[in-house]
């Protein structure tokens, strides 16, 4: 597997699945923040671009034991990203200033090798040029470029917000590589009404995310693939943790 060096800062998330209500505010705020055109039909996979996608999980039991959980899934920002080494034009890289996996759309030739390589289905291909209904183009922001048809796109933890936070730190005379946890926060985490998404530097013990990631209830998606995601989930419900890491029936759950 492609092994990358460790970085000083590791931006990461912990999503508490016991707090997530599946409201979809993270999906909508992501689309608004990153200039995604409204979808004519969200079930049409030729059009839908959902960098943040909320999945519905169920324990498969009938009433009164039935239980559901909602699992928001952005790019998990792998430490060993399968998508990076397969790109023939270096249109996707692992950022050395925080470990975020980038997507450089003007360089992308649309071969979609990265989509085939990503085990999390976190990448999306633009089959069509984006279309904004009349008037809605006013919602476009200057922070993220729009993407034309023929290129791949994905979540990058609102990287423009990271750049802005570094600029502000420099302006204030602070070290841009020692940002506080409130200095940089992606749109999804900022807009989650239940506070289910915690964001920060996994390597900074002062950041809440670093403590939550060590919880006995924390797990990562398909952890045993060795992709080393910078996104953690947590749930006190054992069946949720087992589904998240694809346990086989006979395997004991790790942690508590
Ligand atoms: S689709 Fe773009 S990013 Fe993905 S492998 Fe091809 S060129 Fe690289
Ligand atoms: S989740 Fe997929 S797109 Fe994101 S870094 Fe990992 S392999 Fe790449």
């Amino acid at each position: 597997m492609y092994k990358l060096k460790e970085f000083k800062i590791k931006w990461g998330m912990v999503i508490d699945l016991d707090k997530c209500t599946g409201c979809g505010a993270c999906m909508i705020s992501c689309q608004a923040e990153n200039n995604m055109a409204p979808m004519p039909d969200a079930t049409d996979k030729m059009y839908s671009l959902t960098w943040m996608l909320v999945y519905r999980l169920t324990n498969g039991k009938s009433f009164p034991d039935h239980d559901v959980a909602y699992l928001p899934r952005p790019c998990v920002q792998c430490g060993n990203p399968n998508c990076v080494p397969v790109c023939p034009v270096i249109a996707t890289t692992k950022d050395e200033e925080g470990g975020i996996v980038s997507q450089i759309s003007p360089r992308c030739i649309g071969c979609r090798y990265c989509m085939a390589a990503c085990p999390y289905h976190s990448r999306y291909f633009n089959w069509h040029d984006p279309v904004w209904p009349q008037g809605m183009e006013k919602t476009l922001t200057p922070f993220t470029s729009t993407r034309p048809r023929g290129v791949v796109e994905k979540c990058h933890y609102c990287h423009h917000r990271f750049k802005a936070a570094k600029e502000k730190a420099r302006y204030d005379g602070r070290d841009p590589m020692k940002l506080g946890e409130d200095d940089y926060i992606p749109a999804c985490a900022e807009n989650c009404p239940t506070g289910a998404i915690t964001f920060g530097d996994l390597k900074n013990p002062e950041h809440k995310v670093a403590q939550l990631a060590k919880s006995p209830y924390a797990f990562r998606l398909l952890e045993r693939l060795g992709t080393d995601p910078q996104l953690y989930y947590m749930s006190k419900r054992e069946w949720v943790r087992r589904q998240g890491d694809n346990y086989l029936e006979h395997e004991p759950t790790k942690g508590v």
Side-chain angles (χ1 to χ4, degrees), residues 86-89 91-92 103 107-114 123 152:
V86 298
C87 180
V89 292
T92 185
Q103 180 66 21
R107 244 187 237 169
C108 177
I109 55 171
C111 66
R112 290 174 279 146
Y113 287 178
C114 56
R123 294 180 158 269
V152 167

Side-chain angles (χ1 to χ4, degrees), residues 70-219:
Y70 296 95
L71 187 142
R73 196 275 300 126
C75 165
V76 304
Q77 314 297 346
C78 301
N80 284 316
N82 293 345
C83 57
V84 169
V86 298
C87 180
V89 292
I90 319 177
T92 185
T93 60
K94 182 90 176 153
D95 181 5
E96 303 207 354
E97 285 190 8
I100 297 168
V101 177
S102 66
Q103 180 66 21
I104 306 149
S105 299
R107 244 187 237 169
C108 177
I109 55 171
C111 66
R112 290 174 279 146
Y113 287 178
C114 56
M115 290 179 70
C118 171
Y120 299 97
H121 304 285
S122 299
R123 294 180 158 269
Y124 297 87
F125 185 65
N126 283 282
W127 290 99
H128 307 272
D129 279 321
V131 177
W132 278 265
Q134 201 181 0
M136 276 202 75
E137 73 283 355
K138 292 185 187 133
T139 63
L140 285 166
T141 76
F143 307 118
T144 318
S145 60
T146 56
R147 285 77 52 189
R149 72 172 178 266
V151 301
V152 167
E153 58 182 68
K154 73 176 246 319
C155 156
H156 44 64
Y157 279 178
C158 296
H159 199 261
H160 49 285
R161 289 190 176 208
F162 179 34
K163 285 198 278 190
K166 284 193 290 184
E167 282 303 309
K168 178 152 192 332
R170 276 191 205 101
Y171 182 78
D172 295 342
R174 291 180 289 127
D175 182 350
M177 295 311 281
K178 282 194 185 142
L179 295 177
E181 58 186 341
D182 294 331
D183 290 334
Y184 164 41
I185 177 165
C188 56
E190 188 180 32
N191 289 293
C192 174
T194 64
I197 306 176
T198 306
F199 184 79
D201 178 8
L202 290 163
K203 289 204 156 171
N204 186 338
E206 286 169 19
H207 285 203
K208 198 172 160 204
V209 78
Q211 296 147 27
L212 290 177
K214 293 195 179 85
S215 157
Y217 301 113
F219 65 96

